[in-house]
Amino acid sequence: MNFIWFLLIFISIIIGAITGKLPDVVNAILEGAKTSIDVVLAIMGVMVFWLGIMKIAEKSGIIKVISKIIQPVAKWLFPEINSESKAIGDVALNFSANALGLANAATPIGIKAMEEFQKENINKSSASDAMCTFLAMNTAGFQLIPATVIAILAGFGAKNPTEIIVPTLIVTTFAFCSAIFIAKILKKIFPPQIKENEVEENA
Amino acid sequence: MHNIKAIIDIISLWTLPAILLLILGWAVIKKVPIYEAFIEGAKDGVKVSVNIIPYLVAIIVAISMFRASGAIELLTSHLKTILNVLKIPADILPLTIVRSLSGSAALGVFSDIVKANGVESYPAKLGAIMLGSSETTFYVLAVYFGAVGIKKYRYALLAGLMADFVGIVGAIIVARWFFL
């Protein structure tokens, strides 16, 4: 992330200077900072609400029930995660919310899953394999019905906006499965996580 | 086709209420003090929202700068000839890059494609498939990792971007198969 962040900013300034758009790039710093806070404010209320609902779900034991049901899949996806972990149920709910296009609910639920994964993480500042797999699944954006896109197409007066559902479903399913396999392969290629106390000893 | 639309509308309307009813109903049966539990969890929501601010500012500022610099347009104009050979509409290229960076910007780019080519055009349909099958990778990573304070992403970003690429190629192939 250090490198990519530097690269994004470095390229922006250099290209901005070449194309004569440097003033825009400078403005974008202020604009971007403002947008970030707008985004946080926009999601804060939903975040608070859904994390509240998720606490109810957790206390009622429904998360555990869901965890048990999908355990065989979960074991394959996240082999290092304790099968008793509540993370599994959260992952299932996050996946369902995403699939149904409830992005607002999916994000707080996903964060809940991340918190559960973090409990079992051996190094609290670096991503565990389970987290990487989970986020790869999330960034692939699996969705049963692309409601927003259909709405836009309909807004522009498309005769038959729902015709994109099937092709989109094929692509999103394919990308989702690929994401899981890519994460599984990268896990083997990348060096394993180092335990926190070992990091300190090396430093 | 009207039936499909009607079914989708009903599903969209009922998923949230159904999930809420299920969670609350189950909790009431199990005699969970739901109001107290809600407040307890909601407090975490406030903390999480504040925790992700630095991560979001870092990534959104860098991406805003990148978009303002004209780097995407520069790349698009250079790749045009290759795309023509592959019969991929050049208008679609900014969307392939922007969709991993910013959700609202991707919607804007998609609207531009529809306006420029018409809603029944091939680029519009390809764009719709691309947009409908993607998630804003950088944003997802910033929010999820930010919420739990992870600073080393290891292979999460690479996996996300590779999956995005697979999605783009898949969209091009499937769109061609369905609509060309």
Side-chain angles (χ1 to χ4, degrees):
Chain A
M1 209 51 205
N2 286 319
F3 178 65
I4 286 164
W5 199 57
F6 171 74
L7 206 63
L8 273 173
I9 293 176
F10 181 75
I11 292 176
S12 310
I13 293 174
I14 299 299
I15 300 215
I18 295 169
T19 56
K21 285 186 174 172
L22 207 52
D24 296 341
V25 174
V26 175
N27 272 334
I29 301 175
L30 299 173
E31 280 297 314
K34 197 175 155 292
T35 313
S36 325
I37 300 304
D38 290 344
V39 170
V40 171
L41 286 179
I43 62 173
M44 196 168 182
V46 195
M47 189 87 87
V48 169
F49 177 77
W50 278 101
L51 284 181
I53 295 294
M54 284 302 286
K55 186 57 103 187
I56 299 175
E58 187 191 317
K59 291 209 162 162
S60 72
I62 197 169
I63 305 276
K64 271 215 170 115
V65 174
I66 299 169
S67 299
K68 277 224 172 87
I69 296 169
I70 61 150
Q71 212 161 69
V73 189
K75 242 187 191 136
W76 180 75
L77 279 175
F78 313 109
E80 65 280 7
I81 290 299
N82 182 351
S83 56
E84 293 288 293
S85 172
K86 278 174 277 183
I88 305 306
D90 293 334
V91 169
L93 270 181
N94 167 267
F95 173 78
S96 316
N98 269 324
L100 296 168
L102 308 171
N104 281 336
T107 307
I109 298 172
I111 286 171
K112 193 86 205 326
M114 289 295 280
E115 285 171 350
E116 296 296 333
F117 281 144
Q118 181 72 314
K119 284 183 194 161
E120 299 196 19
N121 194 358
I122 53 168
N123 183 342
K124 302 292 180 209
S125 68
S126 103
S128 67
D129 289 323
M131 289 175 177
C132 290
T133 307
F134 176 56
L135 285 194
M137 288 162 62
N138 250 285
T139 58
F142 180 78
Q143 210 177 358
L144 287 173
I145 296 164
T148 317
V149 181
I150 293 175
I152 296 175
L153 287 175
F156 275 105
K159 271 183 240 127
N160 190 6
T162 48
E163 69 183 348
I164 66 150
I165 292 178
V166 174
T168 305
L169 194 58
I170 296 173
V171 175
T172 191
T173 308
F174 179 63
F176 178 76
C177 297
S178 307
I180 294 171
F181 282 106
I182 289 168
K184 289 232 170 242
I185 294 165
L186 289 179
K187 177 181 165 182
K188 295 219 172 78
I189 298 172
F190 268 67
Q193 267 185 312
I194 305 167
K195 270 195 191 141
E196 226 145 5
N197 47 9
E198 287 172 22
V199 177
E200 277 158 26
E201 280 163 25
N202 288 339
Chain B
M1 269 341 240
H2 269 284
N3 285 338
I4 301 179
K5 185 85 178 49
I7 293 169
I8 292 170
D9 285 345
I10 292 172
I11 295 175
S12 317
L13 181 64
W14 272 100
T15 36
L16 254 174
I19 293 175
L20 265 183
L21 280 179
L22 179 72
I23 291 177
L24 291 182
W26 185 291
V28 168
I29 293 168
K30 294 277 170 182
K31 298 204 172 70
V32 174
I34 53 173
Y35 185 71
E36 280 90 338
F38 178 85
I39 298 297
E40 190 188 332
K43 278 186 182 159
D44 289 341
V46 179
K47 243 185 280 161
V48 167
S49 306
V50 174
N51 283 348
I52 61 179
I53 292 176
Y55 295 82
L56 269 185
V57 171
I59 198 66
I60 292 182
V61 166
I63 284 169
S64 303
M65 289 173 74
F66 185 71
R67 281 181 45 224
S69 72
I72 295 173
E73 289 84 353
L74 211 65
L75 200 63
T76 315
S77 61
H78 280 286
L79 286 172
K80 246 179 195 156
T81 30
I82 308 170
L83 292 178
N84 281 339
V85 176
L86 293 170
K87 283 188 191 152
I88 300 163
D91 289 356
I92 220 78
L93 196 65
L95 186 63
T96 61
I97 303 168
V98 167
R99 61 169 216 158
S100 305
L101 301 176
S102 155
S104 53
L107 284 178
V109 173
F110 174 62
S111 298
D112 289 343
I113 293 173
V114 177
K115 273 183 217 152
N117 297 281
V119 71
E120 305 293 342
S121 67
Y122 177 64
K125 281 171 186 168
L126 174 56
I129 296 174
M130 265 183 198
L131 200 60
S133 62
S134 72
E135 182 57 76
T136 324
T137 300
F138 279 88
Y139 170 79
V140 169
L141 293 185
V143 169
Y144 281 39
F145 280 144
V148 290
I150 297 282
K151 291 169 201 85
K152 288 224 178 313
Y153 289 9
R154 289 175 72 228
Y155 54 87
L157 180 63
L158 185 61
L161 291 180
M162 283 170 79
D164 285 349
F165 183 74
V166 170
I168 291 166
V169 175
I172 290 169
I173 295 170
V174 172
R176 188 175 296 181
W177 179 32
F178 269 77
F179 298 119
L180 209 65

